[in-house]
Each structure stands twice: as structure tokens, then as C-alpha cells.
Amino acid sequence: MASDFLYYRQNVSVIQVAESLGYTHNPRAGQNPVEYTHPSEDNIVITNPSNPASQVYFTRNQDSNRGDVIEFVRHRLDWFGITYNNPIHGIKKVLDRFVNVPFDLDKATGQNRYPSEAQSGEFSERNYQVIQPKDPADLSYLTHERKITTETLAVFSPYISFVQTTNHQYNYRNTGFAFKVPGEPEVRGYELVNYRFKGFTPGEYKGRVGASWFASLTPEGMKPTHIVVSESAIDAMSFYQLYQHRLHRESTAYVSFGGAMSNQQALNIINQYPDAKIHTAFDNDLSGRLYTIRLAAIKSQIPLTITRQPERGDILFELPNKKFTIPDDQLRLEAFKKLSGLRPLMREHRSQGKDFNQMVQDRFHAQQHAKTPKVQPHWKR
């Protein structure tokens, strides 16, 4: 039985191991990445579900619990009911169970895939028909469902497309946001959204390659001096819609990492625009605040290890010459800067809802409610 870790990574799917522990697929979370939930409330998101060789996962609300199938098992060794001499022995003992065991991904997720791309792990633009919307009003999902105004969409329209696969078996037309490596013209994939759907075109381009959605509002030939980074293109546009008068439009660019932020995505943005001030507009949860702190360390070129300690209700941060903890409910960029001594050119923006699009929707409904005429009560004599 092969026991080389590289062999495990190439031949054992995180999904396969997760299902053996009782994780179940959440079909509403999208096709790539896919989400699996556990009765213990341990929710994981897995990218490249069709290709174990480039598959990685992350755990919601536990930033350090991420990686490949090796890390997945290492973080859950006590779940498998085995005895082992050391973690490496335990990981091998677990993964030997799954080597050469047939696994049907389509049966596991209840979804069909795009076979050629799923097997190669690469995105191919020739498999898609991409159309630029002629009118922002055509983007009905964004206007009706997400309450993005046509004025906002007119600003970002060069960076929004309609994307439809040429495989007629799956030819839904979705709203797409092109992911590119900063400074390169080639499209590496698309973030896709639609009613009751959110996902990505097949291929591994966020982690290893570090592609992102990048929308620069600066005049041609000028570099942005401010960059707003978020977890989705919709959140980026929502931030603009809410705060467009606070940042100079013609010196600002907007970035989406497409969910979990990879180190390579952050490095590519920072290396391309080293002098720009970064504004984080991540979700208002623990993961979002940790993305901001990881980004601060990357921008400062300082190695950082993050370990969540749920039993203590805090997070341990380890830098080369310093370690400290911050309670979960006090986790902010300013608290991290104070304790770490780092001073990156950054600002953390926190939404008043779960994310900035939630703020946009709440504001829209509040305005509609204010416009509704009030019914006069009937007074009894």
C-alpha cells in the first residue's frame, strides 16, 4: 500500500474522507467550491472537488484549519477512532483506508461536472460563451435580488459578463466576474452568480495561480492608490455603492478574492501595487476579521501563524519574535497592530450587517418602507 503523502494528495479526495466522518453536501452553496457540513457544526468549503491533486479546503470560523487532504486528517485525527504512535503514523493509517477505493463525485454531490476541465483542473475559455451586457438594467439578478443600482452597475459594467457554457447540457446563463492575475490579460476563470446559485467555473486558479476579480476605476495608464478588497464582487460593488464619496473614484480599484483569500492572491495584489493603501471590506465575522489580519502580515512581509483556541475563546498569533492572544470578540486590525507592532498601510471597514451587500439590501428596504403611505387608524367614538 502506497504511503507517500504526495500519492495521497493525488489520489484521495477530501470529500471522500469527509463523508466517512458524517459530513454531508450542501447543494445550495454552489458547485465549485462545494460546502460540506457536519452535525458538530464544523462546516468546510472544498475547492476543485473534481480533482484531488489540486484540492484544498478551509473551515469556516477557524482560519488555521485549512489545506489539503493531509491537513484535513491531521486536524481530525481523534475523530477516526484509531490508535497511533505519532501524527504522521496516524495520518498514514487513516489515508491507507481510502487509497484505490472507488469514489463517485457526481453521486456524492448530486451534480454533474464539466468532464474535460474537471479532470485537468484547468479553466478553458473556449468552453464558454461570454457576452458583455448592453445595458446595466439587463443584470436583473444584481438589481432585483441584490439591490445594486444601475448607476453602480454602469461604473463596473466593463468587469461584468454573462457567462454560458457551450455544453448545452448545462447551458444556464449566469452573471460572471472574470478572474485574472494582476497585470495579465488572460482570464483564468469566473465567479458565477444567479438566483439560488453561487459558484465558480471549474479549474484551480485562485490558490496556486492567485487570480482575482480586479476592477480598476483609474484612468488608463494610472495605478490605483487605494484598493478595496472583499470576499465577493457583489460585496465590492456594494461597498462602492455605500461609500463611493469617501474614496476618490479615479484613484481606487476593487478586488474580489472569491470567498477564502489565498496567500498567492494577496501577494499578487500587493506586489503589483506595493504603494497602494488597502481597505478591507470582508464579511463581518471571525473569518473576515482574520483575512484582514493575514493580509496585514503579508503586506508587512512578516510570517504569521494563527491558531484558534475555541476552548479559551481567543486566537493565538505567533510572529518570528513575538506571540500574543486576542479574544474572539475583540479581534480587530487595530488590536493586532498594537500588539504586533506592525504598521501596514491598511484600513479595516466593518459592515453593520453580515456583509456589505446585506447593508445595501437593508437600506433599500428601509427606504421603501419610508415611502409607503401610512394608513390612518380608524378612531371609535
Side-chain angles (χ1 to χ4, degrees):
M1 183 71 69
S3 60
D4 180 73
F5 276 15
L6 177 61
Y7 186 86
Y8 292 140
R9 291 187 180 100
Q10 293 175 340
N11 293 277
V12 181
S13 170
V14 176
I15 295 175
Q16 197 174 358
V17 182
E19 287 194 334
S20 75
L21 294 174
Y23 287 82
T24 56
H25 178 236
N26 176 14
R28 295 184 178 182
Q31 297 180 3
N32 186 14
V34 293
E35 181 180 71
Y36 273 71
T37 63
H38 192 270
S40 68
E41 299 183 357
D42 180 36
N43 290 7
I44 60 171
V45 177
I46 305 167
T47 63
N48 308 311
S50 306
N51 186 8
S54 61
Q55 206 170 81
V56 293
Y57 81 97
F58 72 90
T59 305
R60 295 194 186 280
N61 297 330
Q62 195 172 350
D63 193 67
S64 62
N65 191 342
R66 60 171 56 234
D68 55 24
V69 69
I70 307 298
E71 288 300 305
F72 180 82
V73 174
R74 183 176 72 83
H75 280 281
R76 295 162 180 81
L77 265 178
D78 293 339
W79 294 25
F80 292 93
I82 61 170
T83 58
Y84 52 90
N85 299 327
N86 55 61
I88 293 178
H89 174 236
I91 292 169
K92 290 182 176 181
K93 196 169 183 179
V94 169
L95 290 177
D96 277 344
R97 299 177 179 178
F98 297 93
V99 175
N100 297 326
V101 175
F103 177 64
D104 189 338
L105 172 72
D106 293 343
K107 183 177 180 181
T109 61
Q111 299 171 346
N112 292 314
R113 300 286 159 188
Y114 307 103
S116 60
E117 290 178 283
Q119 292 170 9
S120 68
E122 298 294 335
F123 168 78
S124 177
E125 196 166 9
R126 68 176 180 271
N127 292 337
Y128 300 89
Q129 181 182 33
V130 180
I131 303 171
Q132 292 301 122
K134 295 181 179 179
D135 186 334
D138 295 339
L139 297 161
S140 61
Y141 170 73
L142 298 178
T143 55
H144 295 166
E145 184 77 4
R146 295 306 194 111
K147 309 307 179 189
I148 306 295
T149 65
T150 53
E151 291 79 9
T152 296
L153 294 176
V155 172
F156 287 93
S157 59
Y159 307 99
I160 308 173
S161 307
F162 288 128
V163 180
Q164 190 169 8
T165 176
T166 54
N167 183 333
H168 296 292
Q169 188 177 355
Y170 318 106
N171 61 352
Y172 298 106
R173 189 177 79 165
N174 298 306
T175 301
F177 304 96
F179 272 53
K180 301 179 181 180
V181 175
E184 297 181 6
E186 179 186 357
V187 175
R188 300 301 187 110
Y190 286 89
E191 178 183 0
L192 302 175
V193 296
N194 212 329
Y195 293 95
R196 300 185 66 184
F197 170 76
K198 180 172 64 175
F200 294 86
T201 51
E204 200 283 303
Y205 45 85
K206 294 194 298 175
R208 174 175 54 85
V209 176
S212 306
W213 178 73
F214 188 84
S216 178
L217 307 187
T218 61
E220 187 175 355
M222 290 183 60
K223 282 194 172 185
T225 56
H226 295 269
I227 297 178
V228 177
V229 296
S230 59
E231 295 180 42
S232 74
I234 290 175
D235 279 337
M237 293 188 292
S238 298
F239 184 90
Y240 169 87
Q241 186 166 309
L242 292 164
Y243 303 115
Q244 56 186 290
H245 303 300
R246 296 188 183 182
L247 291 175
H248 188 249
R249 172 173 162 176
E250 295 187 347
S251 63
T252 306
Y254 292 80
V255 174
S256 163
F257 290 135
M261 179 190 77
S262 75
N263 283 9
Q264 194 59 52
Q265 286 176 307
L267 281 170
N268 285 349
I269 293 294
I270 291 169
N271 291 339
Q272 185 74 11
Y273 307 101
D275 300 322
K277 182 174 182 177
I278 293 179
H279 300 257
T280 63
F282 295 128
D283 290 0
N284 188 16
D285 57 17
L286 189 62
S287 292
R289 295 192 286 276
L290 285 171
Y291 292 151
T292 293
I293 289 173
R294 282 178 53 208
L295 194 55
I298 293 170
K299 188 168 177 61
S300 302
Q301 299 182 345
I302 297 294
L304 174 67
T305 300
I306 300 173
T307 305
R308 191 176 179 202
Q309 304 179 122
E311 70 284 352
R312 292 164 49 99
D314 63 18
I315 297 171
L316 172 66
F317 298 94
E318 297 179 79
L319 287 80
N321 300 311
K322 185 181 295 188
K323 64 171 60 176
F324 54 88
T325 61
I326 301 177
D328 292 353
D329 58 359
Q330 298 177 27
L331 187 62
R332 307 285 186 274
L333 176 61
E334 288 305 313
F336 175 77
K337 287 166 66 174
K338 181 178 179 180
L339 293 170
S340 68
L342 303 181
R343 296 293 182 267
L345 189 60
M346 286 180 60
R347 179 178 176 183
E348 179 182 35
H349 299 265
R350 298 182 60 213
S351 71
Q352 297 171 17
K354 73 178 183 68
D355 55 41
F356 286 95
N357 185 246
Q358 186 64 58
M359 285 183 64
V360 165
Q361 294 188 50
D362 290 345
R363 184 167 298 186
F364 173 84
H365 293 302
Q367 291 171 346
Q368 293 300 111
H369 179 74
K371 293 177 183 178
T372 304
K374 295 183 179 179
V375 177
Q376 296 296 324
H378 295 282
W379 295 95
K380 293 184 179 180
R381 294 185 179 274

